[in-house]
Amino acid sequence: MATIKDVARLAGVSTTTVSHVLNETRFVSEDAKARVMQAVAALNYVPNTVARSLKGGSSRVLGMLVTDTNNPFYADLIQWVDRVAYRHGYNLMLCNTQGNADRARDYLAMLAQRRVDGMLLMSSDTQQETMADLSERLAMPAVVMDSAPAEAGYDRILDDSEMGGELAVTHLIEQGHQRIGLLAGPLSKRNSQSRLSGYRHALTKAGLAADDNWVCSDELSFEGGYRAMHALLARQQQLTAVFASNDLMAMGAMRALMEAGLRVPEDVSVVGYDDIPAARYCNPPLTTVRQPMEALAEQALSMLLDRIREPSLPGRQVVLPPALVGRDSVAPVN
């Protein structure tokens, strides 16, 4: 098995230079860097991360907490984060909290014991009592990839959910719709509240009443959308369009509409949120609001690596704008 000395000998540099290239700890000329990487490839050199962790305090491992890996949005995001982490020479340790705050705390303690270099938090259950004591209990860099409270003191990267909700409803209004329902996620979640605010703002700007009788809240799932759509139809039989707080809810709603004898989009137009892969393949393909998945992964890793290198940096917040993706589930009002 090749050693770091073998790489240095083949590249014609010192072992220190090889270390700086692999760990990105100091400037190395492009020529020397290229020779080192060529030698690494030629020798199939694999760094000893355990020894490197003991010697330099770096495990080259990042932790990631998510609420539910069964949600296609999280599954897609995890793939992007893993690609970016791998490109930077890090492995990703994934922890699925399954929506359980106690489990989230246990995973956070385990990650600290494993000496991961930093962690990414995308878990709404850490936003309640867990977040309040994390800053005192954890001695590692962290970036929150959703709407954690600002007082938690972490670097945060957020989707502009209010803007996304406004984009969705404005698109429906532009198609002539005025009787627009909202299938909201749990209103204890900040993203659900923000999308509700965007819904109201779009209606108000268009001179339409923002009436809470047109809003039904349920889980961010197929079943939640299905139940919420049936509940909304029971109250508002004259609706012509609906905005769902995520794509899973939108697909559940489409099923409920079909069972009620209503066609999408001829009778009721539907807009979702997230642009999960299945959105383009459902029938009809779903108009939705896309979160910039690749940019989210890139920005989160960049912020975390900055924090690992410079722990004393002031806390930062980056908000990424969403974009509307028009497909066939929306039509002009009939």
Side-chain angles (χ1 to χ4, degrees), residues 251-330:
M251 292 175 191
M254 289 165 72
R255 174 74 184 186
L257 289 166
M258 182 191 73
E259 290 181 359
L262 296 169
R263 300 164 299 165
V264 177
E266 293 86 351
D267 300 317
V268 179
S269 290
V270 178
V271 180
Y273 203 107
D274 286 339
D275 194 26
I276 63 175
R280 72 193 70 177
Y281 299 113
C282 64
N283 185 25
L286 182 63
T287 294
T288 185
V289 177
R290 174 183 293 157
Q291 296 199 51
M293 198 80 68
E294 184 176 2
L296 179 60
E298 291 279 2
Q299 185 68 53
L301 262 294
S302 175
M303 292 174 74
L304 184 56
L305 296 182
D306 285 348
R307 177 65 57 188
I308 290 170
R309 288 188 288 263
E310 296 290 341
S312 61
L313 285 172
R316 297 163 295 171
Q317 176 174 302
V318 173
V319 180
L320 298 178
L324 185 81
V325 180
R327 297 196 180 99
D328 297 338
S329 64
V330 171

Side-chain angles (χ1 to χ4, degrees), residues 6-25:
D6 297 325
V7 173
R9 189 179 303 111
L10 182 59
V13 298
S14 67
T15 55
T16 301
T17 298
V18 174
S19 177
H20 288 317
V21 170
L22 297 179
N23 294 314
E24 299 180 354
T25 50

